[in-house]
Amino acid sequence: MGCAANPNIRVRRTEDGRLQVDGPLAGPFPDTETLAAQACELMTGQGGASAGMVGSEYCALHYYAPDEQAYYLSYLSDVKRQFDTYGRKTCEMPAALRDLKRVNALILGGGHNHPHNRQFSPGDLRTTWNPSRAVDTQTGQSFHRVLYLFFRERTGVCNAYRYDHASQIISALRNGQWVPIGRTVDDSGNIQMLDGADWLP
C-alpha cells in the first residue's frame, strides 16, 4: 500500500511557469504574530519538517484580506528548487495564490520551515519580493512584505522568525511580540546581529 498524499499540500505550476498554491489552509488571524505562531506549529508538524539533517522543507504564502482585515496562510508546497543534500534543503517559494473567496487578497510574502537550522540562510535572504511593500488600495494602508522562518527545537518549542524585505530587519517572535535581533548588511544575505541579541532568548 502506498503512502497517502498530504492533504495540506495543494500546489501546481501555471502556464507562465509560476508555482500557485490554494488558500487558505489556516486563518483568519487578527495579526501577524498570531499567524506566525500558528503557522510555525502547522508547518513544522508536517512529515519530515523537523527531522534534522534528513528532513524536508515546506513553503507557503501568507496574505491579507482587506475586506475582513484578517491574515491567512495558504496551503503548502513541497516543490524543491534543487535536489536536496544531507546539509542543504530547499523549497521553491510559490508566487501565485488561488483563493476564490478573497480575489483581492494582498500577498505579503512567503514562509518556510528549516528541518535542521533555526537561522536564515544567505539564499533565503538573497530572495526578494518586488515591490517590498504592498498597499491596500481601499484604505491606503501599507504593508511590508516579509519572509517567515519556522524551526522546532528538540524541546518541542516552535520558534518563528521573520525577515522584513523593506527594512532588512530580522525579528524573532517572543512572548507574542516581534523583537528585532539583526539585519542584513549586504546583498549576499550576510547578517549582523544587534547588540545583545541572538537567535535564542
Side-chain angles (χ1 to χ4, degrees):
M1 181 179 295
C3 296
N6 185 336
N8 295 328
I9 295 174
R10 294 189 187 179
V11 60
R12 68 195 61 83
R13 185 79 64 180
T14 61
E15 291 184 358
D16 61 4
R18 297 181 300 166
L19 282 185
Q20 182 188 64
V21 284
D22 289 343
L25 173 59
F29 301 110
D31 49 52
T32 62
E33 291 87 351
T34 308
L35 180 150
Q38 294 297 316
C40 190
E41 296 291 341
L42 193 157
M43 294 185 71
T44 62
Q46 304 303 305
S50 301
M53 302 299 285
V54 297
S56 300
E57 282 193 14
Y58 298 84
C59 46
L61 296 176
H62 58 97
Y63 55 102
Y64 179 75
D67 295 340
E68 304 166 50
Q69 297 183 348
Y71 298 86
Y72 287 89
L73 180 74
S74 77
Y75 280 85
L76 310 182
S77 169
D78 61 352
V79 178
K80 302 182 185 306
R81 289 200 312 267
Q82 61 187 49
F83 186 76
D84 278 356
T85 65
Y86 184 70
R88 181 179 176 85
K89 315 298 179 183
T90 66
C91 182
E92 181 180 346
M93 191 62 66
L97 171 72
R98 185 176 70 172
D99 184 335
L100 300 181
K101 293 184 178 180
R102 299 166 187 87
V103 294
N104 62 341
L106 299 176
I107 297 175
L108 299 185
H112 70 306
N113 70 290
H114 278 184
H116 64 300
N117 190 329
R118 72 176 64 84
Q119 301 180 19
F120 284 106
S121 69
D124 290 337
L125 302 181
R126 284 196 297 266
T127 302
T128 60
W129 283 81
N130 290 313
S132 60
R133 293 174 174 84
V135 177
D136 178 356
T137 57
Q138 298 178 23
T139 65
Q141 183 178 3
S142 178
F143 300 84
H144 287 198
R145 287 197 163 104
V146 302
L147 173 66
Y148 291 127
L149 167 62
F150 308 119
F151 178 75
R152 187 175 295 276
E153 305 287 342
R154 291 184 179 180
T155 60
V157 173
C158 200
N159 283 318
Y161 304 90
R162 74 175 184 185
Y163 174 65
D164 187 317
H165 291 286
S167 69
Q168 300 180 325
I169 294 291
I170 296 168
S171 300
L173 186 61
R174 293 179 179 161
N175 298 317
Q177 299 292 326
W178 290 113
V179 178
I181 61 171
R183 65 178 303 135
T184 54
V185 295
D186 55 35
D187 293 337
S188 297
N190 289 307
I191 298 169
Q192 181 181 60
M193 304 305 289
L194 301 182
D195 289 345
D198 206 340
W199 294 95
L200 290 176

